[in-house]
Each structure stands twice: as C-alpha cells, then as structure tokens.
C-alpha cells in the first residue's frame, strides 16, 4: 500500500477485539465508520410492513426497493399515467430478466429531442435506482404546477432506466449487498460477472479495467459481451440523432463527471459542458450546502476505459455526464434511507439545470 493511503476494510465481528489493539500497537490510525455492518445491511433489506413498501398508490420513495417492487411500480405508472408514461423493454439480461425503460414526456409532436437516464449499472449503488424513481415521481407530481417541468416534458422525452444491472441488483438484495458486477458466468475461472461500466466499445479494456474475470473491474471477454450493455448500446445507437444528453447515476463520491474517462484530453464542446456542470453543482449545493466536485472524469476521479459515458459521447450524444451521488465514504454504499430524500432533492435540481441548459442550445 502507498504511504498515506486510506483503506476501507470490512472486519468480521469476532476479530474486531483482537484487531484494534494490534492497530494501536502498530501506531496505525483508524476510524470506525460503521460499528455493526451486518445490522446496517439488515436495516435496509429487512422485512417492512407490506403496506409501507408495496402499496403502489402510496409508494414510499424514501426507502430502498427490491427489483420486484421497482418493476411493479413501473407497471403501475404505465397503467396510471398513460398520457405521460410508456413502459417498454430494450432486451433481456443474462439471467433472462426484462430490461425495462420508462419513456416519459408529453406526446406533443412526432419528433422530440430526448434525454437518457440510467441508474444501477453497479448493483450495490442503491441510491442510484432510488434517484431514478424520485425523478419520475417529481416529474409526474409537478408537471401541472412547475413551469420548468412542464417545459421539459413538453419539449423533450426522457428515457429512464431505473435498474440497468437487474441481475446484479437482485443478487445484491438476496446474497451479497456489496456485489458490483453483472451475473454472467465465466466457466474457466468460475467467477461471475463483468463490470458493466468497463464493457463498452470505447478504448475497451485499456487503463482502469481488468482482464481477470474475478476482479471487480473486469472488462469482459469482448466489448458488449454483456446482454445488458449490448441492449442499451443498441437502443442508444438507434436513437442517437434524437438523444442529446446521457446521464448515468452512480455512488459514491459527490462528483459530477463528464468525458473523457479514458484519457486526459479536452472534449470539443468543453465550454458548453463545463458551463452546464458548473451551474448544475451550484444548483445542487443550494438545497443543503453539499458541495460536488466537477470536471473530466479522468482528472477528477480516475482514468477508466470502456465506460458508458465515454461511449455515449463518442457516439454523438453531446451532453454526457456521470453523477457520483452521496456520500464521500462514511456510509459509502450503505447510505441510510434517511438520506434518500435530501440526496434526491438536491440531485433533482442539478438534473433540471442540465436539462434546461440543453434546451438553450449552447454551441
């Protein structure tokens, strides 16, 4: 490990008492972030009252929802808001689950520009799917009263994919809360899954990705090897003339990132994208004072190849962003449900800001 580096370690309950004296004797500074990790996991996945979690008319947007619940919610909206919502599938996952997308917007004209939003590329980042659901709720509830929302839904379509990595997300609820990848099988290494954000055909498996199937950043045997990535890439290619913005939601780091991820270079429309990012993080901060860093992903976060954001930009979508939502490491992937509302509220301001910036036709 590099001197001065920080490591995030999960320790079994029965070894904690013996580990702490060792750290103290070795003069290794440490901080206990979550004293009982298993309890924190059970707080999020444990059984709640049937009504609290599953009643669709009174759907609770301030708790995390399983894949089954999210899909039931999507079907409900498709039936209930048929004037603004159209639900469809872009394909099937490795394990055969449908890859559902909601098309949101007023059918005011035959051709409209569009914004693509996806959440849950990485299974353990539960705040992502929570935000996608929050965005849809806000759009439907404020369409009549908020002039900005009315403008957005009248002039644009939004394609919203609440759970990109459906197999991995389901696995994170049922077996391993910290699972990241898809669930495809690798027979040679007996490891499951590919990093769905390293599997895109843009500098595939270069820096920041791994060729080893057991690694969390495994890029896969070839670009678009994962049916989830292939299906979404096919849809985006087919609609690339219509889709003007690509927004992907991750956690955690409190950052708003734009291309490039795979190299240190300035994108051609830097001024427009930088301006949109600057205004978005300021709008976000206005809610609760939470500060987001923003900039090119390579220099702001780290270099990574084969990302969906870079692929979208390279395929002609001029506004491509990746959000890294709350927090900066205290709770990490286990962001408490009490922080869903503030996180989604502030992120909503940023997304609306980017969308309105897009409609101003910055060149």
């Amino acid at each position: 490990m590099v001197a001065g580096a920080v490591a995030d370690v999960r320790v079994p309950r029965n070894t904690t008492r013996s580990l702490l004296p060792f750290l103290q004797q070795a003069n290794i500074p440490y901080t206990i972030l979550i004293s009982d990790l298993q309890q924190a996991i059970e707080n999020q996945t444990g059984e709640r009252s049937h009504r609290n979690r599953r009643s669709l008319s009174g759907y609770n947007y301030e708790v995390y929802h399983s894949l089954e619940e999210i899909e039931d919610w999507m079907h409900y909206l498709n039936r209930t808001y048929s004037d603004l919502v159209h639900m469809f599938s872009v394909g099937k996952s490795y394990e055969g689950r449908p890859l559902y997308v909601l098309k949101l917007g007023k059918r005011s004209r035959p051709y409209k520009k569009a914004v693509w939003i996806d959440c849950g590329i990485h299974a353990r980042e539960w705040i992502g799917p929570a935000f996608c659901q929050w965005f849809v709720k806000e759009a439907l509830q404020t369409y009549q009263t908020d002039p900005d929302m009315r403008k957005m839904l009248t002039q644009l379509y939004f394609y919203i994919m609440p759970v990109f990595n459906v197999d991995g997300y389901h696995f994170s609820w049922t077996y391993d809360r910290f699972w990241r990848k898809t669930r495809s099988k690798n027979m040679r290494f007996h490891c499951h899954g590919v990093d769905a954000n390293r599997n895109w055909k843009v500098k595939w498996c270069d820096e920041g990705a791994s060729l080893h199937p057991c690694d969390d950043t495994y890029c896969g045997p070839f670009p678009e090897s994962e049916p989830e990535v292939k299906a979404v890439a096919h849809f985006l290619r087919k609609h690339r003339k219509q889709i003007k913005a690509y927004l992907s939601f991750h956690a955690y780091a409190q950052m708003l990132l734009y291309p490039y991820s795979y190299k240190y270079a300035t994108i051609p429309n830097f001024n427009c994208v930088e301006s949109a990012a600057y205004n978005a993080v300021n709008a976000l901060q206005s809610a609760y004072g939470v500060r987001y860093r923003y900039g090119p992903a390579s220099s702001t976060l780290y270099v990574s190849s084969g990302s969906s954001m870079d692929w979208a930009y390279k395929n002609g979508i001029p506004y491509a962003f990746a959000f890294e939502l709350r927090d900066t490491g205290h709770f990490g992937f286990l962001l408490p449900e009490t922080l869903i509302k503030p996180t989604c509220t502030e992120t909503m301001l940023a997304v609306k800001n980017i969308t309105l910036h897009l409609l101003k036709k910055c060149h």
Side-chain angles (χ1 to χ4, degrees), residues 53-113:
R53 204 188 263 285
R54 307 248 348 208
S55 170
L56 289 168
S57 58
Y59 195 77
N60 189 349
Y61 292 88
E62 296 181 39
V63 299
Y64 295 117
H65 289 277
S66 68
L67 180 65
E68 181 192 6
E69 290 159 6
I70 294 171
E71 290 180 346
D72 285 349
W73 167 82
M74 294 173 81
H75 283 290
Y76 172 78
L77 294 184
N78 191 50
R79 292 192 307 269
T80 312
Y81 297 92
S82 55
D83 56 329
L84 287 173
V85 175
H86 170 61
M87 178 182 176
F88 63 97
S89 170
V90 294
K92 291 276 184 75
S93 70
Y94 179 84
E95 293 180 344
R97 294 182 175 88
L99 303 171
Y100 287 129
V101 175
L102 293 177
K103 183 181 181 182
L104 187 62
K106 196 74 180 168
R107 297 181 185 89
S108 50
R109 59 185 100 153
Y111 174 85
K112 292 202 298 183
K113 293 177 183 176

Side-chain angles (χ1 to χ4, degrees), residues 33 66 147 155 197 291:
L33 297 178
S66 68
Q155 296 189 25
N197 206 34
R291 299 178 72 91

Side-chain angles (χ1 to χ4, degrees), residues 222-242:
F222 53 87
E224 296 182 25
S225 63
E226 303 312 281
E228 300 87 351
V229 173
K230 186 174 183 178
V232 173
H234 175 74
F235 181 85
L236 293 175
R237 273 193 294 263
K238 188 177 174 183
H239 296 85
R240 76 172 99 193
K241 290 183 179 178
Q242 177 193 18

Side-chain angles (χ1 to χ4, degrees), residues 2 48 74 177 207 237 334 355:
V2 179
R48 293 187 180 84
M74 294 173 81
R177 176 62 182 84
E207 189 175 351
R237 273 193 294 263
L334 289 178
T355 305

Side-chain angles (χ1 to χ4, degrees), residues 255-310:
M255 293 179 180
L256 177 53
L257 308 170
Y258 52 80
Y260 297 103
S261 290
Y262 71 88
K263 65 178 178 179
Y264 300 106
T266 303
I267 54 176
N269 63 336
F270 170 80
N271 289 338
C272 285
V273 171
E274 170 83 357
S275 171
Y278 171 79
N279 291 330
V281 297
N282 282 341
L284 186 150
Q285 188 177 343
S286 71
Y288 301 99
V290 173
R291 299 178 72 91
Y292 268 49
R293 291 171 59 199
Y294 68 96
S298 55
S299 55
T300 310
L301 186 56
Y302 47 64
V303 174
S304 64
S305 56
S307 75
S308 64
M309 179 184 69
D310 279 354

Side-chain angles (χ1 to χ4, degrees), residues 32 39 75 77 83 98 100 107 137 142 144 147 172 176 188 204 219 225 255 287 294 300 309 331 334 344:
I32 298 174
Q39 186 60 53
H75 283 290
L77 294 184
D83 56 329
Y100 287 129
R107 297 181 185 89
K137 168 193 74 95
T142 65
Q144 298 288 355
S172 74
D176 181 355
R188 185 179 165 202
W204 175 78
C219 58
S225 63
M255 293 179 180
Y294 68 96
T300 310
M309 179 184 69
F331 294 110
L334 289 178
C344 292

Side-chain angles (χ1 to χ4, degrees), residues 314-325:
K314 282 284 193 177
N315 277 267
I317 299 175
Y319 287 87
F321 291 100
F323 281 79
E324 293 283 349
L325 301 178

